[in-house]
């Protein structure tokens, strides 16, 4: 019978991959996860979560306009794109860190190079 380093090799550290890996490891399996980017998957890193935060941030313009009809005096609002962008990135990074923490993943630096990138892609 062939010998392997792992009982389960999960491709992708999104919500499903992390959950599968955690449950298998909890039952005693030796588990590895392959992920090209940060832990959390498409929804957390590039999809649902960032989109919701950006949409939520965009709603404030209309709320400021409507506020005067509800008795509020609001000075002229100013939007700062770098602040919103950086705060969305900080939240995505925080959530990715939580996924790493609950999955107890030990990161290893990838030797793979991202397309059009002269440096190796870190597993962050």
């Amino acid at each position: 019978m062939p010998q392997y380093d792992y009982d389960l090799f999960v491709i992708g550290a999104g919500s499903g991959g992390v959950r599968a890996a955690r449950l298998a490891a909890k039952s005693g399996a030796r588990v590895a996860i392959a992920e090209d980017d940060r832990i959390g998957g498409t929804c957390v890193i590039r999809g649902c979560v960032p989109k919701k935060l950006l949409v939520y941030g965009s709603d404030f313009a209309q709320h400021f306009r409507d506020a005067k009809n509800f008795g509020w005096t609001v000075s002229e609002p100013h939007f700062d794109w770098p602040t919103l962008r950086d705060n969305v990135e900080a939240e995505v990074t925080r959530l990715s860190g939580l996924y790493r923490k609950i999955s107890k993943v030990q990161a290893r630096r990838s030797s793979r190079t991202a397309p059009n990138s002269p440096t190796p892609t870190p597993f962050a």
Side-chain angles (χ1 to χ4, degrees):
M1 179 171 207
Q3 294 293 315
Y4 297 100
D5 293 335
Y6 301 102
D7 300 311
L8 176 65
F9 187 79
V10 179
I11 300 174
S15 299
V18 169
R19 176 80 172 148
R22 284 180 58 220
L23 289 176
K26 189 175 181 179
S27 70
R30 295 168 300 162
V31 180
I33 301 175
E35 177 57 62
D36 190 40
D37 198 9
R38 295 182 287 184
I39 294 176
T42 299
C43 182
V44 172
I45 305 300
R46 311 173 221 16
C48 312
V49 172
K51 182 226 25 153
K52 287 176 183 176
L53 294 171
L54 291 168
V55 168
Y56 182 69
S58 71
D59 285 343
F60 281 99
Q62 185 62 45
H63 293 310
F64 284 125
R65 286 191 292 276
D66 292 342
K68 65 182 176 188
N69 296 325
F70 293 93
W72 289 89
T73 301
V74 180
S75 62
E76 189 63 32
H78 170 76
F79 175 72
D80 183 53
W81 167 250
T83 298
L84 177 60
R85 178 199 61 211
D86 294 350
N87 286 331
V88 168
E89 178 59 28
E91 180 62 7
V92 166
T93 298
R94 184 187 75 81
L95 291 172
S96 181
L98 289 175
Y99 269 85
R100 179 182 296 282
K101 184 177 179 181
I102 66 168
S103 64
K104 299 178 183 168
V105 170
Q106 295 178 356
R108 293 185 183 163
R109 187 173 180 92
S110 171
S111 60
R112 181 177 139 11
T113 302
N116 302 319
S117 173
T119 58
T121 304
F123 186 83

